[in-house]
Amino acid sequence: MQVPDSRPAGYLVPAAAGVTVLMWASSFVVIRAAGTALSPGPMSFIRMLVATAALVPVALYYRRPLPRGRTLVLVLAYGVLWFAAYTVLLNWAEQHLDAGTAALLVNFAPIIVAVFAGLFLSEGFPRARVIGILIAFSGIVLIALGGSGGVTNDRLGVTLGLITAVLYAASVLIQKVALRSVDGVTATWLGCATGLLVTTPFAPQAFTEIAAAPTAAVLGVVYLGIGPTAIAFLTWAYALARSDAGALTATTLAVPAIAIGLSWVFLAEVPTALGFVGGALALLGVAITRR
């Protein structure tokens, strides 16, 4: 009997991860730009509103059963941590940091995930992953030392950025466990709906600010809801369900390098020579972890 060729499925996981990385990198630039017109809480509420609205038709199409018991608690937990608390704090951080530095701080999370997944999710510490993470992390350090020209980062922004990294790491680990019992579509739309519910207290201010915001800011938040949230979290859940959490999050170490490039093009936040070298090392490290 002929065994079905599984190679196409093997390419889908890195492709899904690549979509997520590119969209998440772009989100740092869009948040930085839209943050001049919208406050952190209202921006998160509008983002979750758009994302949930975009995901409901997808959920209705697949009609998967809702999770119950422990799995439901896990989904609600990372919905609160990732789709609500993380997005609000990241929006706030980027009012004090350039986009590249914010991406750098948030992407300490893959290091945290790799350690805890290796210890508690039986993923171990494969040599290629460890070497790749060390190389990528050294690149991130160079990015931090180089920074971006013309932007002053303050202590509050750095603190908020590190808190978002912890929330991100905790959410990935919780989601990895939840995806053993729930499909990616349900996990994503229910997480978004939870984030929308938690950020609802910002709704009155959000509608006031969005009415006065420039068109570019409005379109930016709509993009955040559809692209880096609805689409990117679907592709992320697809890849995470089929990958080790440590290996997949190591892929996101490329986010700071891409975010710095995008912020240079669109926000004129010019990287230094160290930033260029660090970006190259970060991308090399990610390539090694994906071996």
Side-chain angles (χ1 to χ4, degrees):
M1 187 172 90
Q2 185 177 5
V3 178
D5 188 354
S6 63
R7 285 178 296 177
Y11 291 117
L12 289 177
V13 170
V19 170
T20 300
V21 166
L22 289 173
M23 289 195 171
W24 282 358
S26 69
S27 71
F28 288 94
V29 178
V30 177
I31 290 170
R32 176 79 173 157
T36 59
L38 299 169
S39 304
M43 193 191 311
S44 291
F45 169 77
I46 298 167
R47 177 177 179 175
M48 290 303 110
L49 179 63
V50 172
T52 304
L55 287 168
V56 165
V58 180
L60 290 175
Y61 176 80
Y62 284 98
R63 294 183 180 275
R64 305 295 189 189
L66 291 175
R68 298 180 180 180
R70 175 174 175 266
T71 303
L72 177 59
V73 172
L74 291 173
V75 173
L76 296 178
Y78 76 72
V80 172
L81 294 177
W82 209 350
F83 291 95
Y86 169 90
T87 58
V88 173
L89 292 181
L90 178 59
N91 294 344
W92 188 8
E94 290 210 52
Q95 294 187 345
H96 300 268
L97 302 171
D98 64 86
T101 302
L104 154 74
L105 293 170
V106 170
N107 280 279
F108 277 106
I111 311 298
I112 302 172
V113 171
V115 172
F116 279 86
L119 292 174
F120 301 111
L121 297 182
S122 303
E123 294 185 4
F125 299 92
R127 182 166 56 181
R129 186 184 307 171
V130 173
I131 293 173
I133 286 175
L134 290 175
I135 292 174
F137 184 72
S138 67
I140 287 177
V141 171
L142 290 180
I143 292 172
L145 293 174
S148 299
V151 178
T152 302
N153 299 318
D154 61 34
R155 187 173 300 176
L156 175 60
V158 171
T159 301
L160 291 170
L162 291 174
I163 293 173
T164 61
V166 174
L167 292 173
Y168 169 15
S171 300
V172 170
L173 294 169
I174 294 170
Q175 187 184 36
K176 177 61 179 176
V177 177
L179 285 171
R180 296 170 180 171
S181 306
V182 65
D183 65 283
V185 172
T186 303
T188 303
W189 83 258
L190 190 54
C192 278
T194 303
L196 175 62
L197 181 63
V198 173
T199 57
T200 297
F202 297 109
Q205 184 181 353
F207 292 126
T208 299
E209 291 187 5
I210 205 74
T215 302
V218 176
L219 293 177
V221 180
V222 171
Y223 168 75
L224 288 173
I226 295 175
T229 307
I231 295 175
F233 274 93
L234 280 176
T235 54
W236 169 264
Y238 174 87
L240 184 60
R242 295 161 177 80
S243 306
D244 288 349
L248 185 62
T249 52
T251 304
T252 65
L253 288 166
V255 167
I258 299 171
I260 284 176
L262 293 174
S263 66
W264 181 18
V265 173
F266 294 104
L267 302 178
E269 295 177 348
V270 183
T272 62
L274 279 178
F276 278 116
V277 176
L281 284 175
L283 294 173
L284 174 62
V286 169
I288 293 174
T289 66
R290 298 306 302 174
R291 289 183 58 189

